Amino acid sequence: MSLEDRYLENEYYTQDEHGDYELYDLGDFELARGQTLRDAKLAYQTFGDLNDEKDNVILFPHMYSGTHRDMERFIGEDMAIDPTEYFVILPNQLGNGLSSSPHNTPPQDGGMGYFPEVMIEDDIRAQHELVTEEFGIDELQLVLGWSMGAQQTYEWIVRYPDMVKRAAPIAGTAKVTPHDQLFIEAHKEMIQSDPAWNDGFYTDPHAVLTGLRRHALIWSVMGLSTQFYHQSEQAWDQAGFQSVDDFMANFWEDWFLPMDPNNLLTMATKWQHGDVSRNTDGDLEAALGRVKAKVYVIPFEEDMFFPVRDCEYEQAMIPDSELRPIPSLWGHFTMFGVFDEDLEVIDEHIGELLNESV
Amino acid sequence: MSLEDRYLENEYYTQDEHGDYELYDLGDFELARGQTLRDAKLAYQTFGDLNDEKDNVILFPHMYSGTHRDMERFIGEDMAIDPTEYFVILPNQLGNGLSSSPHNTPPQDGGMGYFPEVMIEDDIRAQHELVTEEFGIDELQLVLGWSMGAQQTYEWIVRYPDMVKRAAPIAGTAKVTPHDQLFIEAHKEMIQSDPAWNDGFYTDPHAVLTGLRRHALIWSVMGLSTQFYHQSEQAWDQAGFQSVDDFMANFWEDWFLPMDPNNLLTMATKWQHGDVSRNTDGDLEAALGRVKAKVYVIPFEEDMFFPVRDCEYEQAMIPDSELRPIPSLWGHFTMFGVFDEDLEVIDEHIGELLNESV
């Protein structure tokens, strides 16, 4: 079962493209901002088997513009997240195109340009329902995620501190920074500036090509490090690209152009408002102070969205935590995994965290 | 005499706004890319008096979106650039709105959307003509500039190595980086995405408001440091702003919205192609190796356009040079001079450089 035929057909959001996944029925789901997502579905994929004690669970939400598929490369029998040992749940974000999203919800049911604003905590409440109601799980060995996955990880450990034993927020923050808010505003503008966007009511899934191309351009500016571009010939060659133009067309545009603009905007708005301190009346220190998990805060050096020091600022507020910065030329996109050695280093950190006795 | 009434009237580009300045007649000026700027004018302002030996000259070109006016705050009797001692020439960039520019050139004469692409070396050739032909000067004690002013400084010391005794390229590079090229592409898109831009043929000087507002937004993302926004309350308060919204409206939009979009695009294209190695068949090391001036390369820490290491990479190729990074929360906009202490530190470096015997 999937939502792929429910409204605007887009070949990107299909099981052909993303592999099998399941849908959990959230019913009429009330959102943090008061609106209701009717007949809401949470898409997810699992790896491995839930043991009888139900104590071998890892939850691994994904980043902006991603799906469960993008996290699969971190799961393997020779990796820290070993599916013969763990039961791994990969939830899809609300609005990501596989879960309930603008493009798969008809306008008359609140889709497309009518789709409500979703907050990070809505995803976490939906995932909590999946974990507890569908699987009867009350303990997570590890919650981890990259970028918006880190935002979700933080929300998990602040909202449900007794459920999570270990956590690894990677290249993301518990509270969005003003700088990131401006960046996200700029990249939303990139899409919305295209007249074809039409306030979210287009009928051709690929009508907003110019807006998506502009959106890819601004990602190319902030997504990687200046150092990556500085060492460009060497770094591109290693990544399989010939030039800036080739890199723009065959990396950034290749990634974003198949996607649905309203879906991206829904995720962007969520990112823009990510803030665990809504759990504690705006007191970030109080929010992070109640975390019980063992936490590795893992920023990437050269990350222009989430500089190491912004992550360190929050890490210092988390009782049982360590800062573990990873050097990489790719900046924020280190976790995209273009370089095998980056994946290996990330895997090592995850392995060490899983071996922490808590 | 000024060009302010020559085509599109825009109250921003007037002597009321910018104070008096002079116009040097370049005649029909052939540009690096082969086009001709007919009846071209170079606007400039001077401070102090040229001595009889004509050996007390400082040349101080300006940054993107600037005019001579923006450099005036670095000139004063109690400052390193003392007009009782030096003859200071502040040239205006071609395309900046006071010199020959898209908005002040009628379309039938090659203005507005027809305005040709201008390169940094065109400015430097024009300034060289002003300096040598108009004033009979053959030696400059100091050439300095910030950002695009640094690009012009580099072009001066590579193109006319025997004329310049000291140079201070501040927060800029001799060769544009691929990362900056992408950023500039993004901010050009911000303007050009506005249908009112109309390929450069608008008739109302403020028609392209939405494009300019988007352009201000992307500047707010890259122009300052993440750390500035992180310490936002304190830093804003010191700068006289209340919030992100207030800062956007009353700093960035206040700065850019009065300007002419074609003028900004002309300067942006120039920036995007800045490269002194065109003097040496693409060999940057050869270009910088021929510099004879004593050079202080002055990057700003936290600068997202011109990281210290990008500047250091070039500094290492300049024979008689020093790297002198300046710490500041404002990142690239340190030289905008919102904080007095930043201005003082910059002034100290300039003073030390002027005291170097060469």
Side-chain angles (χ1 to χ4, degrees):
Chain A
M1 176 196 170
S2 80
L3 301 176
E4 57 193 69
D5 302 321
R6 269 185 69 190
Y7 184 63
L8 201 62
E9 273 190 45
N10 182 332
E11 64 285 358
Y12 183 72
Y13 300 108
T14 60
Q15 300 208 352
D16 282 349
E17 177 75 21
H18 285 90
D20 292 340
Y21 55 86
E22 307 294 320
L23 281 186
Y24 176 74
D25 192 348
L26 292 163
D28 292 344
F29 190 73
E30 194 178 336
L31 299 168
R33 296 217 154 171
Q35 288 174 280
T36 295
L37 206 56
R38 299 219 171 273
D39 190 21
K41 309 288 184 192
L42 178 66
Y44 67 97
Q45 178 57 294
T46 64
F47 289 82
D49 297 307
L50 183 59
N51 65 12
D52 292 341
E53 298 77 18
K54 300 191 175 187
D55 67 357
N56 68 333
V57 184
I58 293 175
L59 185 78
F60 197 172
H62 64 80
M63 77 296 188
Y64 176 75
S65 79
T67 69
H68 68 271
R69 181 191 56 178
D70 303 302
M71 302 298 106
E72 289 180 14
R73 75 188 70 183
F74 295 93
I75 302 169
E77 293 193 18
D78 53 350
M79 300 181 80
I81 304 179
D82 178 350
T84 66
E85 183 174 356
Y86 294 104
F87 179 58
V88 188
I89 305 175
L90 306 181
N92 285 276
Q93 285 190 43
L94 296 170
N96 85 331
L98 303 185
S99 292
S100 285
S101 300
H103 98 281
N104 63 28
T105 307
Q108 61 272 24
D109 296 339
M112 297 300 287
Y114 291 124
F115 202 78
E117 287 190 351
V118 181
M119 297 290 112
I120 294 282
E121 53 262 47
D122 295 321
D123 279 284
I124 274 41
R125 284 171 43 244
Q127 291 168 21
H128 181 264
E129 193 178 319
L130 170 73
V131 164
T132 56
E133 305 285 317
E134 177 75 4
F135 294 112
I137 293 164
D138 57 19
E139 179 182 275
L140 300 169
Q141 290 301 326
L142 172 63
V143 179
L144 80 165
W146 164 43
S147 198
M148 285 189 72
Q151 288 185 304
Q152 294 172 74
T153 299
Y154 276 119
E155 184 68 26
W156 258 104
I157 58 181
V158 168
R159 181 172 285 263
Y160 305 114
D162 294 319
M163 279 186 70
V164 187
K165 300 188 80 169
R166 298 171 194 82
I170 303 172
T173 51
K175 177 174 178 168
V176 69
T177 64
H179 185 262
D180 285 340
Q181 286 182 308
L182 286 170
F183 168 74
I184 301 160
E185 192 63 29
H187 87 240
K188 286 164 70 173
E189 281 271 353
M190 286 299 209
I191 293 175
Q192 294 172 335
S193 66
D194 186 342
W197 178 63
N198 191 30
D199 288 333
F201 297 103
Y202 40 88
T203 51
D204 171 348
H206 303 299
V208 194
L209 184 83
T210 295
L212 289 172
R213 199 179 52 75
R214 285 182 193 136
H215 172 271
L217 176 61
I218 194 170
W219 270 94
S220 77
V221 175
M222 292 289 289
L224 299 183
S225 71
T226 54
Q227 194 66 355
F228 170 82
Y229 286 106
H230 180 70
Q231 299 184 5
S232 54
E233 281 182 33
Q234 186 188 337
W236 284 328
D237 191 55
Q238 196 179 346
F241 299 102
Q242 314 298 318
S243 64
V244 174
D245 289 344
D246 183 41
F247 185 59
M248 280 307 304
N250 292 307
F251 181 78
W252 294 105
E253 297 188 359
D254 187 61
W255 177 250
F256 284 117
L257 261 53
M259 298 181 187
D260 182 83
N262 286 328
N263 293 353
L264 290 171
L265 290 167
T266 295
M267 285 184 274
T269 297
K270 203 191 287 184
W271 177 7
Q272 198 170 23
H273 294 93
D275 181 2
V276 297
S277 80
R278 276 196 294 273
N279 289 291
T280 48
D281 293 324
D283 185 339
L284 183 63
E285 205 161 349
L288 293 173
R290 71 192 206 187
V291 171
K292 293 184 177 170
K294 169 76 186 179
V295 181
Y296 284 4
V297 172
I298 305 178
F300 298 136
E301 292 174 9
E302 312 289 344
D303 189 327
M304 295 178 85
F305 299 124
F306 307 103
V308 173
R309 63 187 169 204
D310 282 2
C311 299
E312 186 174 14
Y313 169 76
E314 296 181 338
Q315 178 264 322
M317 301 180 193
I318 303 171
D320 188 11
S321 65
E322 289 178 30
L323 185 76
R324 292 184 161 225
I326 294 179
S328 168
L329 264 189
W330 274 78
H332 188 61
F333 268 66
T334 297
M335 192 131 170
F336 208 81
V338 177
F339 293 168
D340 288 341
E341 52 268 42
D342 290 336
L343 297 179
E344 284 162 20
V345 172
I346 294 166
D347 192 60
E348 279 169 28
H349 286 283
I350 298 171
E352 287 174 32
L353 179 54
L354 280 167
N355 284 329
E356 296 262 10
S357 54
V358 287
Chain B
M1 177 196 169
S2 81
L3 301 176
E4 58 193 70
D5 301 321
R6 269 185 69 192
Y7 185 62
L8 201 62
E9 273 189 46
N10 182 332
E11 65 285 359
Y12 183 72
Y13 300 108
T14 60
Q15 301 208 352
D16 282 350
E17 176 76 22
H18 285 90
D20 292 341
Y21 54 87
E22 308 294 319
L23 281 186
Y24 175 74
D25 190 349
L26 292 162
D28 292 344
F29 191 73
E30 193 177 338
L31 298 168
R33 295 217 156 171
Q35 288 173 280
T36 296
L37 207 55
R38 300 218 169 272
D39 189 20
K41 309 289 184 192
L42 178 66
Y44 66 97
Q45 177 57 293
T46 64
F47 289 82
D49 297 306
L50 183 60
N51 63 13
D52 294 339
E53 299 77 18
K54 299 191 174 186
D55 66 356
N56 68 332
V57 184
I58 293 176
L59 184 78
F60 198 173
H62 64 80
M63 78 294 190
Y64 176 76
S65 79
T67 69
H68 68 270
R69 179 191 58 177
D70 304 302
M71 302 299 106
E72 289 180 14
R73 75 188 70 183
F74 295 93
I75 303 169
E77 293 192 19
D78 53 350
M79 300 181 80
I81 304 179
D82 179 349
T84 67
E85 183 175 356
Y86 293 103
F87 178 59
V88 188
I89 305 174
L90 306 180
N92 285 275
Q93 285 189 42
L94 297 169
N96 85 331
L98 302 185
S99 292
S100 285
S101 299
H103 98 281
N104 62 30
T105 307
Q108 61 272 25
D109 295 340
M112 298 298 288
Y114 291 124
F115 202 77
E117 286 191 351
V118 181
M119 297 289 111
I120 294 283
E121 53 262 47
D122 295 320
D123 281 283
I124 274 42
R125 284 171 42 244
Q127 292 168 20
H128 181 264
E129 192 178 320
L130 170 72
V131 165
T132 56
E133 305 286 317
E134 177 75 4
F135 294 110
I137 293 165
D138 57 18
E139 179 183 275
L140 300 169
Q141 289 301 326
L142 172 64
V143 179
L144 79 164
W146 165 43
S147 198
M148 284 189 72
Q151 288 185 304
Q152 294 171 73
T153 300
Y154 276 120
E155 185 67 26
W156 258 104
I157 58 180
V158 168
R159 181 173 285 264
Y160 305 113
D162 293 320
M163 279 186 70
V164 187
K165 300 187 80 168
R166 299 171 194 81
I170 303 171
T173 50
K175 178 175 178 167
V176 69
T177 64
H179 184 263
D180 285 341
Q181 287 182 309
L182 286 170
F183 167 74
I184 302 160
E185 192 63 30
H187 87 241
K188 287 165 70 174
E189 280 271 350
M190 287 300 209
I191 293 174
Q192 294 171 335
S193 66
D194 186 342
W197 178 63
N198 191 32
D199 288 332
F201 297 103
Y202 40 89
T203 51
D204 171 350
H206 302 299
V208 194
L209 184 83
T210 295
L212 289 172
R213 199 178 52 75
R214 285 183 193 136
H215 172 270
L217 176 62
I218 193 169
W219 270 94
S220 76
V221 175
M222 292 288 288
L224 299 183
S225 70
T226 54
Q227 194 66 354
F228 170 82
Y229 285 105
H230 180 71
Q231 300 183 7
S232 53
E233 283 184 32
Q234 187 188 337
W236 283 330
D237 190 53
Q238 197 180 346
F241 300 102
Q242 314 298 318
S243 64
V244 175
D245 288 344
D246 183 40
F247 185 59
M248 281 306 304
N250 292 307
F251 181 78
W252 294 106
E253 297 188 0
D254 187 61
W255 177 250
F256 284 117
L257 262 53
M259 298 181 186
D260 182 84
N262 286 328
N263 292 354
L264 290 171
L265 289 167
T266 294
M267 286 183 274
T269 297
K270 204 191 285 184
W271 177 8
Q272 199 170 23
H273 293 93
D275 181 2
V276 296
S277 80
R278 277 196 293 273
N279 289 290
T280 48
D281 293 325
D283 185 338
L284 182 63
E285 204 161 350
L288 293 173
R290 71 192 206 188
V291 171
K292 293 184 178 171
K294 169 76 188 181
V295 180
Y296 285 4
V297 172
I298 305 178
F300 299 136
E301 291 173 11
E302 311 289 345
D303 190 326
M304 296 177 85
F305 299 123
F306 306 103
V308 173
R309 63 186 168 205
D310 283 2
C311 299
E312 186 173 14
Y313 168 77
E314 295 182 338
Q315 178 264 321
M317 300 181 194
I318 304 171
D320 188 11
S321 65
E322 288 178 30
L323 186 75
R324 293 186 159 223
I326 294 180
S328 169
L329 264 188
W330 273 77
H332 187 63
F333 268 66
T334 297
M335 191 128 171
F336 209 81
V338 177
F339 293 168
D340 288 340
E341 53 267 41
D342 291 336
L343 295 179
E344 285 162 20
V345 172
I346 294 166
D347 191 59
E348 279 169 27
H349 287 283
I350 298 171
E352 288 174 32
L353 179 54
L354 280 168
N355 284 330
E356 296 263 10
S357 54
V358 288

